Amino acid sequence: MRPLLSAEMLKLSRQPAILFWGFLSVPLVALLFKLVVEGLLFVRLGRQGGDDVDIFLSAAKSLNLSGNSIGQLIYAIGIASVFFLEYRHATWRVLVPRQPRVQLFAAKGLLCLMWLALGLLVAAIGDAAINLGLSVLKGQGGGPVFSGASFVIFVAAFGVALLELTVLTAFVATLVVFFRSMIAAVIPAFLLAIGSTVLQLYLGADADRLPLPSYAAQWMRDWVIMGGSPLAGLTGLGVLAGWAIILFALGVYLFSRQQLATE
């Protein structure tokens, strides 16, 4: 498995545009937006408005970008590019006879999750750096707060965000395998994300009962960050885990049944 993962890492490193725009652009743009907003507030208020900032809690809230519809569209493009690479260059016929198909599929999925996790860490570390920088500029007010309880919340929020992106990875990977197309995988992933938002706007609280990944992730975030209902949070965990397991199993099944001798 390690040689396969190393090979996938090498292939992705040779495509820096996909690596940057597909996996790192979302957290970097989110950080840039926060920096601009906080900078404008600092210019407007100067050293005033000095509430203490909980560094870990703020970093935990920054991980909500995993549920952003546009962010998921960009992530879906990056994930689809990884899985579609062998179809585009017709290189499956070289890989399939040498390695088990489960490992080939898992290596690509694990590669995506590693870079998605790194992107989440970039968002969290950047958010902490911005808050620390502002606290230095403000002087006495707005000092940073480091809390052990908030660190636990941050770790839990990181797990929620990564699990939500795991579902996205499984969904996109399965669609790429089924359609052998990148566009046919990206568009449904985006429609699922934006459709969840539209349903929530039209149905209100009734939509929250639907077992959709974005709703389940929000149940977990409400529980972890806002102190919401533990039952709703655990239900969200079950829904997300169910989506991930079923989609990955379906993707592996479809991949194992494909005729790839000429691909």
Side-chain angles (χ1 to χ4, degrees):
M1 187 67 179
R2 184 176 297 177
L4 281 177
L5 188 58
S6 299
E8 292 297 333
M9 189 72 73
L10 178 62
K11 284 187 282 189
L12 187 57
S13 67
R14 298 292 178 86
Q15 304 175 89
I18 293 175
L19 179 58
F20 176 79
W21 292 107
F23 296 97
L24 299 177
S25 63
V26 174
L28 291 176
V29 169
L31 287 175
L32 180 61
F33 180 77
K34 178 181 175 67
L35 183 61
V36 170
V37 171
E38 294 291 346
L40 291 174
L41 288 175
F42 179 77
V43 171
R44 178 78 173 177
L45 301 176
R47 296 175 182 269
Q48 301 175 12
D51 292 335
D52 292 342
V53 178
D54 191 320
I55 298 298
F56 290 128
L57 185 59
S58 177
K61 292 178 180 179
S62 73
L63 299 177
N64 290 354
L65 60 85
S66 64
N68 182 275
S69 301
I70 301 300
Q72 289 203 352
L73 170 63
I74 297 173
Y75 281 139
I77 293 173
I79 296 165
S81 299
V82 171
F83 279 87
F84 183 64
L85 179 67
E86 314 302 339
Y87 292 103
R88 183 176 63 183
H89 295 291
T91 51
W92 277 129
R93 68 180 185 274
V94 179
L95 299 175
V96 168
R98 292 172 171 78
Q99 299 290 343
R101 294 198 183 193
V102 173
Q103 292 187 13
L104 290 170
F105 189 89
K108 288 184 176 293
L110 186 57
L111 174 74
C112 293
L113 291 178
M114 289 171 61
W115 281 104
L116 290 170
L118 180 61
L120 293 176
L121 285 176
V122 168
I125 293 172
D127 183 87
I130 291 173
N131 286 328
L132 288 173
L134 288 173
S135 69
V136 171
L137 291 174
K138 290 180 180 179
Q140 297 100 346
V145 175
F146 295 91
S147 166
S150 296
F151 179 73
V152 173
I153 292 175
F154 166 73
V155 172
F158 183 88
V160 172
L162 188 58
L163 182 56
E164 184 176 19
L165 293 178
T166 299
V167 173
L168 178 65
T169 301
F171 186 62
V172 173
T174 300
L175 290 177
V176 169
V177 169
F178 182 76
F179 291 108
R180 305 190 189 197
S181 168
M182 181 174 157
I183 297 299
V186 171
I187 292 178
F190 177 65
L191 290 178
L192 178 62
I194 199 69
S196 301
T197 303
V198 172
L199 279 176
Q200 206 161 33
L201 290 175
Y202 277 93
L203 300 180
D206 293 336
D208 292 340
R209 291 192 286 268
L210 298 175
L212 295 177
S214 60
Y215 299 162
Q218 189 58 49
W219 300 341
M220 292 187 68
R221 276 192 285 267
D222 290 342
W223 174 39
V224 168
I225 300 176
M226 308 302 296
S229 168
L231 178 60
L234 292 174
T235 302
L237 175 61
V239 170
L240 284 179
W243 274 83
I245 292 171
I246 292 172
L247 287 172
F248 267 122
L250 179 60
V252 170
Y253 173 77
L254 293 174
F255 185 59
S256 64
R257 302 284 294 179
Q258 278 187 337
Q259 175 56 253
L260 298 173
T262 58
E263 291 284 354

